[in-house]
Amino acid sequence: MNHEHHPAIAKGAGIAPSADPTAAGFPKAVLFDLDGTLLDSAPDMLATTNAMLAARGRAPMTLAALRPHVSKGARAMIGAAFPDVDVGEREGWVPEFLEHYGRELGRHGAPFEGVEAMLTALEAAGCVWGIVTNKPEYLAALLVPMLGWEDRCAVLIGGDTLPVRKPDPLPLIVAAERIGMAPADCVYVGDDERDIVAARAAGMPSVVALWGYRLPGDQPEEWRGDTMVEQPQALCDAGAWPSP
């Protein structure tokens, strides 16, 4: 899919730093995952999942039960809600999930606490930031203006913007190109292992967002990110970012 001229991208594409962020110790550019990193979208996903459960006469899930699966995508959430259903049958439910989610989009979730302060600190330092997500681009592009970020987000790459998605490094490489940066001059922030794998393959320093969504067996200390951060507020401090 080619959404290169979508307003959510075009509006931010001209953003340029007004100062040298590296002078203050910040990266030149930061690229973020969306769900579980910038946005606590689990409440929207819960409403979506429970609509599918209700339609099949099943009891609702709790937020605590669904939350660890959110960063893994629609298939993982459907699998968590319907573990007894054949994988092939569940695959056919993905369009239904996305249709329900389109109706719940932005109604229940919000940025994680501290995200706005972090973005403001980056902007004040002259740092350009953007989003690289595996969420379908049309959904991400609808969310950006709901969050008031359409004139702040310099680039938006969705899961279907390119022929491949994370953990492939190409989305990160293309995002860097679109904002006129070398991958090594950007930092990628994500809460899932595939985020860190993609960043490493792109030659981009990475931050593991420990505030995001993880399964009990996930071991982020083994993902080989450049640094791990407990809360978004910590990234208001230039010293928390990995050195280029």
Side-chain angles (χ1 to χ4, degrees):
M1 297 176 66
N2 183 1
H3 299 280
E4 199 160 331
H5 301 295
H6 196 288
I9 298 174
K11 281 187 180 180
I15 295 175
S18 57
D20 177 10
T22 60
F26 285 98
K28 289 184 178 179
V30 180
L31 300 171
F32 293 97
D33 175 50
L34 184 56
D35 299 297
T37 300
L38 290 178
L39 183 66
D40 185 5
S41 54
D44 289 352
M45 302 298 190
L46 181 68
T48 300
T49 303
N50 283 344
M52 292 185 67
L53 285 163
R56 291 161 176 81
R58 299 196 181 201
M61 285 187 81
T62 65
L63 185 61
L66 184 67
R67 183 178 286 274
H69 302 276
V70 171
S71 279
K72 310 294 183 186
R75 289 167 180 82
M77 287 182 275
I78 295 169
F82 300 94
D84 57 320
V85 176
D86 179 76
V87 173
E89 184 176 356
R90 295 198 312 245
E91 181 67 23
W93 296 354
V94 172
E96 178 187 349
F97 183 95
L98 294 175
E99 182 182 345
H100 279 296
Y101 177 57
R103 290 196 287 269
E104 302 296 342
L105 190 74
R107 292 185 59 197
H108 313 280
F112 284 99
E113 183 179 355
V115 161
E116 280 296 341
M118 172 188 65
L119 295 178
T120 298
L122 290 173
E123 291 164 351
C127 183
V128 175
W129 65 271
I131 294 170
V132 181
T133 175
N134 276 4
K135 183 190 291 294
E137 187 184 315
Y138 79 97
L139 291 171
L142 289 171
L143 266 171
V144 167
M146 289 182 186
L147 297 164
W149 294 343
E150 67 271 29
D151 294 318
R152 301 168 65 187
C153 178
V155 63
L156 173 62
I157 302 287
D160 54 359
T161 305
L162 302 168
V164 293
R165 62 181 64 192
K166 300 174 297 181
D168 194 285
L170 186 63
L172 277 66
I173 293 167
V174 170
E177 288 176 352
R178 290 189 181 179
I179 57 175
M181 298 283 180
D185 288 331
C186 304
V187 174
Y188 191 65
V189 184
D191 69 307
D192 190 82
E193 184 175 13
R194 63 188 167 190
D195 298 327
I196 309 307
V197 169
R200 191 164 59 248
M204 190 176 292
S206 62
V207 172
V208 179
L210 293 175
W211 63 84
Y213 309 132
R214 293 194 309 279
L215 294 169
D218 286 346
Q219 296 181 298
E221 65 278 1
E222 296 183 359
W223 297 351
R224 294 167 55 201
D226 290 281
T227 188
M228 298 192 296
V229 176
E230 291 283 350
Q231 294 296 335
Q233 295 95 320
L235 294 173
C236 294
D237 178 359
W241 292 92
S243 300

